[in-house]
Amino acid sequence: MKSLPNALSALRFLGAVCLIFFRVECCAFWIIYFVCGLSDMADGYLARKFGCESKTGALLDSLADFAFVICCCFKLIPALAFPKWLWIWGGVIVATKIINQISALVMYKKCIFPHTIANKVTGVLLFVGVPLTVFLESIVPMVIIAVVATFAAVQEGHFIRTKKYQ
């Protein structure tokens, strides 16, 4: 049971790659999407429940999250018609997160992915908000997500720079 959280993270990584092979309009895409999202919620909970939290598990979780986001972006960005200002805002959030990782590499010689409440809330909002945006054809969910993600990215940088990431 102690390896289950890491297995879920690995499954999410594999599921993320599988998304590339399905059209966004396809039911299989959304089934894989939801399985990946649920596995993201379950792996951390199970790691804490079974007392098997580890730096390796946290890194595997973060890498699986990253793969999931990249694969979703690859498939969903062409399907989304956002105004230019929202794309720029998203770019600023991504740039902030990249700067955070560069700071971590310079300061500590390693990548650091703080599992803050704001990052978790952003993840849940993205998980729910992306399908809402696609199916409702509205940018409102993405604007709400952008507000929370901006705060999360700034907080993440603060935690990295002040060593409050542990």
Side-chain angles (χ1 to χ4, degrees):
M1 286 303 237
K2 295 207 181 246
S3 63
L4 182 59
N6 288 350
L8 286 173
S9 294
L11 177 66
R12 184 167 64 260
F13 190 89
L14 180 63
V17 173
C18 288
L19 288 175
I20 294 172
F21 299 102
F22 294 96
R23 292 185 343 270
V24 172
E25 303 83 20
C26 179
C27 187
F29 178 90
W30 292 105
I31 290 171
I32 295 168
Y33 176 89
F34 282 108
V35 168
C36 286
L38 293 173
S39 77
D40 186 26
M41 293 177 203
D43 62 2
Y45 169 78
L46 292 172
R48 286 185 293 280
K49 180 177 171 127
F50 295 138
C52 57
E53 297 168 282
S54 69
K55 289 182 182 181
T56 302
L59 181 60
L60 182 60
D61 176 56
S62 294
L63 292 173
D65 289 346
F66 183 73
F68 182 59
V69 168
I70 294 299
C71 292
C72 283
C73 286
F74 178 76
K75 294 301 287 192
L76 292 167
I77 285 175
L80 300 172
F82 292 150
K84 186 184 280 187
W85 62 266
L86 190 53
W87 288 112
I88 293 169
W89 191 354
V92 169
I93 293 167
V94 170
T96 302
K97 292 185 86 60
I98 290 170
I99 290 167
N100 291 343
Q101 289 310 308
I102 291 170
S103 295
L105 286 169
V106 168
M107 293 174 73
Y108 311 112
K109 310 289 187 258
K110 63 181 179 179
C111 289
I112 298 171
F113 300 98
H115 290 250
T116 64
I117 292 173
N119 275 333
K120 290 178 184 194
V121 169
T122 300
V124 170
L125 289 176
L126 276 168
F127 178 59
V128 173
V130 168
L132 285 176
T133 298
V134 170
F135 295 119
L136 298 177
E137 298 180 3
S138 170
I139 66 165
V140 172
M142 294 312 290
V143 171
I144 293 167
I145 293 165
V147 169
V148 176
T150 300
F151 173 80
V154 171
Q155 182 189 48
E156 178 181 88
H158 172 71
F159 282 5
I160 289 170
R161 289 173 193 83
T162 59
K163 297 184 181 183
K164 294 182 181 178
Y165 57 87
Q166 299 164 335

